[in-house]
Amino acid sequence: MQEKEKFYITTPIYYPSGDWHLGHCYTTTVCDAFARFKRMNGYDVFFLTGTDEHGQKIAKKAEEAGMQPKPFIDGLVAKLKDIWSLMDITYDKFIRTTDEEHISCVQKIFEKLYEKGEIYKAEYEGWYCTPCESFWTESQLVEGKCPDCGREVSREKEESYFFRLSKYTDKILKLYEDNPEFLQPKSRVNEMVNNFLKPGLTDLCVSRTSFNWGIPVSFDKKHVVYVWIDALSNYISALGYLSEKDENFQKYWPADLHMTAKEIIRFHAIIWPAILMALDLPLPKQVYGHGWLLIGGDKMSKSKTDKIKTELVHPVALCDRYGSDAVRYFLLREIPFGSDGIYTNESLLKRINTDLANDLGNLVNRTQAMIEKYFGGTLPTERESAPVDEELIGMASGLYGKVCSAMDALNVPEALTEIFRVVQRANKYVDDTAPWALVKDESKRARLATVMYNLAETLRIVAVMLKPYLTKSPDIILGSLGVDASAVMNFDSVKTFGVLPLNVTVTKTPPLFPRIDIQKELAEVEALVLAEKKEKEKKVEIKVEEQTQKPEISIDDFAKVQLKVATVLEAEEVPKSDKLLKLRVKIGNEERQVVSGIKKAYAPEYLIGKQVVMVTNLKPVKLRGIESQGMIICAENAEGKLAFLTPEVAIEDGSEIF
Ligand code: MSP
């Protein structure tokens, strides 16, 4: 047997933010359509997706939730996998950057690059935001302030490892010149060339010492590998690169298609090829940077969520309400090739009503109903053709070729447009042939049967061609035509018109996409979204009210409490306690031991080096047999989230708080 050609396709790996919305489903749904399409076209497909789990942001979120990062992320990953299962995403592997194999692969990649002189140690200088513990470049600042929290930043230096990206400027330019297909759509090439390559690439900082939720550099453990080497390497670590079990790497690398969105194209089309060149590895064949789904006109990054008042955006809610086929169809059809698309409740409902209910659903319903009504469900075998049949038959038999061309050009909406052109033509064919008139004339039985057969056969081709895009209704359509849908594993049967038996029996199914009363539905959805919002706000209000009001005190009462800034030197868990941590803190010249109930919120290692606010004149107490010489001041919100207080800018420990 001839060996199948391979096709390796990847999505970016997702941050485990938990705030997933419809926009996040776009890349993965598109990849799933490609994976299904290629499988049906006879390829041996490997479809990779996963999660990008390291970095300070996620560590902070875990802390806020009172959990260690890994168990916190486990819960979110489970939710993401639930979304993928609801959307019928057929990935072959789900990689997590916290997987042992990935960690070990990244460490080896880092070592290899260091040994080859592609990575060197130097000092990173940038604008540092103390509360966010983040470095920013000049261009990232917003009006000279931290782009995340809007506070003052200061010029700081940190020891870091750098990847010699600068040396790859010409090589990447040559890559684009020699392989015009490498980066798609073409407009992205100009962006990369004008914005990054022409000005010249600068070396890339690839390690950090200011946080520790990351992959440690194996030969210099105070550094963790910083974001992009960690994240991008997933595409090869998932295949077993540099491990003993590297058959998948041998078989599937290089990737055939890295699907990404436009804001991360630079990483995939410049940094990633440079890393691969440095590792002497073959380059991916194609990188595609799609546009965004703008929710109510916004990219819907978290900071903008507030602007979105009434759009229903959660994939689970949407699939529950309209079914995953409708959601998948909207995503695949609505974002034009290479540019942005807009989501509103209304645009989704219009797509459902127009394309799915009026065009496809209607064709299915009327074909089933007419065959049932005119022939009791089973067609007779006599035939009588007419010239009007030719266009429909031609379009249906040519559909496979048209869809293949659109998919080869990575144009998924165009592939769907082609399929729906045939659906529309078939609906028009019903009007052209007027079966309701034919049925009245007994001598036209054969003609009527031919018309019905052409409709059923067109539906069969349409249903098979829809299989990569919609995952439920094509099988229902095929089932109604007496075709065993689970046996349709490829496109072989759509290359000829006339595969259904002449005496096909067609059974009726409930409407696939019932028409929605848009105005009524919009009102319901808006009410639902607003009610959810209110519910959330109410919960917070109630909790705040529950807090007890303490009696007034005088300034002299307050002055009795001595508060000072302290720096955490050491932190460890108190055995058998799920709340307590034992800390060693420095308060000016003095060192003390404190036991604090913050274990649920903080990993001990995270606290080391942090500045905290302490009550220093509190009578010592013993907690679990350990003496606590003071108390760390924390805030607890309505939901039980805990955070210690810290000075807004670094200040000498021992400083008084008043
Ligand atoms: N972790 C990085 C990718 C590292 S790849 C080595 C990341 N993660 S993400 O969770 O922010 O995004 C995951 C995918 O969702 C990206 O392709 C991103 O562009 C996509 N989308 C998120 N919001 C989107 C829209 N509103 N519209 C379309 N896709 C968008 O980036």
Side-chain angles (χ1 to χ4, degrees):
M1 211 178 77
Q2 213 193 334
E3 220 185 291
K4 283 182 171 183
E5 208 177 316
K6 64 93 186 172
F7 184 77
Y8 178 31
I9 181 167
T10 66
T11 72
I13 42 173
Y14 285 72
Y15 293 126
S17 69
D19 301 320
W20 292 297
H21 54 76
L22 193 59
H24 285 113
C25 298
Y26 180 65
T27 326
T28 309
T29 309
V30 170
C31 284
D32 186 62
F34 274 105
R36 286 172 183 265
F37 182 80
K38 288 285 179 180
R39 280 189 207 112
M40 286 187 71
N41 241 344
Y43 284 77
D44 171 0
V45 172
F46 194 89
F47 169 17
L48 177 73
T49 190
T51 35
D52 187 356
E53 304 185 5
H54 291 124
Q56 207 172 4
K57 264 197 180 159
I58 188 69
K60 272 202 168 158
K61 276 198 157 192
E63 228 178 79
E64 282 164 22
M67 289 176 78
Q68 303 284 342
K70 185 68 182 6
F72 174 71
I73 298 166
D74 286 348
L76 294 170
V77 169
K79 280 194 184 157
L80 186 62
K81 285 186 171 172
D82 283 348
I83 296 177
W84 295 155
S85 128
L86 202 65
M87 302 272 302
D88 284 334
I89 304 297
T90 52
Y91 55 80
D92 293 288
K93 183 174 168 100
F94 190 102
I95 184 162
R96 300 183 53 180
T97 53
T98 48
D99 290 343
E100 280 308 319
E101 301 77 24
H102 175 78
I103 293 174
S104 136
C105 177
V106 168
Q107 287 181 323
K108 286 182 196 159
I109 289 175
F110 207 92
E111 282 161 27
K112 202 167 168 177
L113 292 173
Y114 185 67
E115 279 157 20
K116 291 182 81 188
E118 297 282 350
I119 280 181
Y120 63 93
K121 191 147 110 173
E123 249 185 359
Y124 178 82
E125 195 178 341
W127 293 103
Y128 192 70
C129 172
T130 312
C132 293
E133 297 169 67
S134 294
F135 269 106
W136 302 105
T137 59
E138 183 83 40
S139 62
Q140 286 173 316
L141 300 180
V142 176
E143 290 168 7
K145 305 233 164 90
C146 171
D148 256 9
C149 71
R151 282 184 266 205
E152 294 292 336
V153 287
S154 54
R155 201 76 190 154
E156 302 282 344
K157 285 183 182 165
E158 180 182 308
E159 178 189 277
S160 284
Y161 285 92
F162 285 82
F163 171 61
R164 292 189 196 279
L165 184 64
S166 57
K167 123 181 185 198
Y168 289 93
T169 309
D170 292 339
K171 292 184 178 133
I172 304 285
L173 279 168
K174 188 159 171 7
L175 165 71
Y176 296 171
E177 266 169 41
D178 295 349
N179 304 279
E181 296 304 307
F182 174 76
L183 179 54
Q184 292 293 323
K186 293 242 179 324
S187 55
R188 307 272 181 249
V189 176
N190 301 337
E191 255 172 66
M192 293 301 110
V193 171
N194 295 334
N195 299 347
F196 305 108
L197 293 162
K198 272 202 187 143
L201 298 171
T202 48
D203 288 354
L204 184 73
C205 174
V206 289
S207 82
R208 281 285 194 268
T209 53
S210 54
F211 61 88
N212 56 15
W213 179 239
I215 300 179
V217 172
S218 53
F219 51 87
D220 194 349
K221 292 250 163 61
K222 74 173 194 282
H223 289 260
V224 294
V225 179
Y226 182 57
V227 224
W228 289 101
I229 288 204
D230 176 0
L232 289 162
S233 301
N234 91 86
Y235 301 132
I236 48 179
S237 73
L239 299 178
Y241 174 61
L242 295 180
S243 81
E244 278 171 14
K245 277 186 68 188
D246 71 347
E247 309 84 53
N248 277 342
F249 180 72
Q250 300 301 340
K251 185 168 170 191
Y252 292 108
W253 190 256
D256 293 271
L257 181 56
H258 284 316
M259 186 60 76
T260 86
K262 59 184 182 182
E263 82 281 11
I264 48 175
I265 202 76
R266 177 165 73 100
F267 303 102
H268 289 82
I270 294 181
I271 297 175
W272 182 224
I275 294 173
L276 290 165
M277 285 176 190
L279 290 167
D280 298 316
L281 288 177
L283 304 184
K285 291 190 193 145
Q286 220 167 30
V287 173
Y288 181 85
H290 65 69
W292 290 329
L293 183 68
L294 303 173
I295 310 235
D298 243 316
K299 182 183 175 244
M300 198 166 167
S301 59
K302 197 179 171 285
S303 53
K304 290 181 182 161
T305 318
D306 277 356
K307 278 198 199 160
I308 292 121
K309 298 281 186 287
T310 52
E311 310 301 350
L312 186 65
V313 292
H314 199 275
V316 174
L318 287 166
C319 287
D320 278 355
R321 227 172 154 85
Y322 310 113
S324 62
D325 269 4
V327 178
R328 284 177 67 108
Y329 181 76
F330 177 85
L331 287 172
L332 297 172
R333 181 72 182 75
E334 193 73 17
I335 303 194
F337 177 64
S339 27
D340 296 341
I342 293 182
Y343 170 83
T344 57
N345 296 336
E346 193 173 359
S347 61
L348 170 67
L349 296 176
K350 279 190 172 156
R351 273 278 171 217
I352 297 179
N353 268 3
T354 315
D355 301 9
L356 297 177
N358 284 1
D359 289 350
L360 180 64
N362 186 28
L363 180 66
V364 172
N365 275 347
R366 68 207 298 209
T367 305
Q368 292 173 350
M370 286 188 292
I371 295 180
E372 161 112 1
K373 187 167 166 203
Y374 305 150
F375 297 103
T378 303
L379 293 183
T381 52
E382 292 76 27
R383 291 290 178 267
E384 184 190 327
S385 303
V388 65
D389 303 345
E390 277 160 31
E391 194 188 330
L392 177 68
I393 295 177
M395 279 178 80
S397 4
L399 182 57
Y400 169 72
K402 290 241 163 76
V403 172
C404 284
S405 307
M407 292 300 273
D408 284 347
L410 305 179
N411 197 337
V412 181
E414 181 60 22
L416 281 170
T417 306
E418 289 295 349
I419 300 175
F420 275 77
R421 254 185 213 135
V422 175
V423 172
Q424 284 151 7
R425 184 64 192 85
N427 274 321
K428 184 166 176 289
Y429 177 77
V430 177
D431 302 335
D432 292 346
T433 52
W436 45 89
L438 294 176
V439 75
K440 291 186 185 144
D441 184 345
E442 198 44 45
S443 70
K444 296 282 184 201
R445 290 296 285 171
R447 177 68 196 133
L448 183 61
T450 308
V451 168
M452 292 301 116
Y453 182 85
N454 288 343
L455 288 172
E457 180 62 0
T458 302
L459 262 184
R460 182 190 66 79
I461 292 178
V462 161
V464 174
M465 290 313 303
L466 273 176
K467 269 172 89 75
Y469 314 96
L470 310 186
T471 59
K472 299 190 170 82
S473 31
D475 288 7
I476 301 175
I477 300 172
L478 290 171
S480 84
L481 301 171
V483 177
D484 174 7
S486 63
V488 182
M489 310 288 281
N490 56 45
F491 291 124
D492 289 353
S493 69
V494 295
K495 295 173 192 166
T496 21
F497 193 92
V499 169
L500 282 177
L502 287 178
N503 63 344
V504 60
T505 298
V506 174
T507 43
K508 276 187 112 174
T509 53
L512 292 176
F513 300 99
R515 254 190 85 83
I516 300 172
D517 178 338
I518 294 193
Q519 287 319 317
K520 197 168 147 233
E521 177 66 11
L522 278 179
E524 251 177 59
V525 167
E526 288 186 10
L528 188 90
V529 176
L530 290 175
E532 258 173 31
K533 258 193 177 173
K534 264 206 182 134
E535 192 60 28
K536 264 192 204 154
E537 284 163 8
K538 216 163 87 189
K539 270 191 196 155
V540 174
E541 270 168 27
I542 291 171
K543 291 252 171 104
V544 171
E545 269 173 21
E546 275 169 6
Q547 290 175 1
T548 48
Q549 203 57 49
K550 291 184 182 160
E552 214 169 60
I553 57 167
S554 71
I555 185 83
D556 297 335
D557 291 332
F558 178 67
K560 287 182 192 157
V561 182
Q562 185 157 49
L563 295 167
K564 285 188 179 179
V565 174
T567 305
V568 179
L569 301 176
E570 291 164 19
E572 61 184 87
E573 296 185 356
V574 171
K576 293 193 194 123
S577 163
D578 56 0
K579 282 209 184 123
L580 301 178
L581 289 181
K582 184 172 95 176
L583 312 176
R584 183 123 218 109
V585 297
K586 181 169 156 299
I587 313 162
N589 297 328
E590 189 193 351
E591 281 187 24
R592 285 199 196 180
Q593 168 175 292
V594 193
V595 178
S596 177
I598 52 175
K599 182 170 171 185
K600 279 209 174 128
Y602 296 103
E605 33 320 342
Y606 175 82
L607 292 169
I608 295 168
K610 292 281 181 302
Q611 292 207 308
V612 293
V613 173
M614 263 192 60
V615 184
T616 50
N617 61 337
L618 204 63
K619 208 171 172 184
V621 285
K622 277 201 171 172
L623 296 167
R624 296 248 167 185
I626 306 168
E627 186 170 86
S628 184
Q629 302 155 338
M631 188 173 87
I632 292 177
I633 302 282
C634 289
E636 190 179 20
N637 83 349
E639 282 143 2
K641 271 189 201 166
L642 207 66
F644 65 80
L645 303 191
T646 191
E648 202 244 354
V649 290
I651 190 161
E652 294 77 18
D653 51 59
S655 304
E656 281 260 7
I657 293 164
F658 47 88

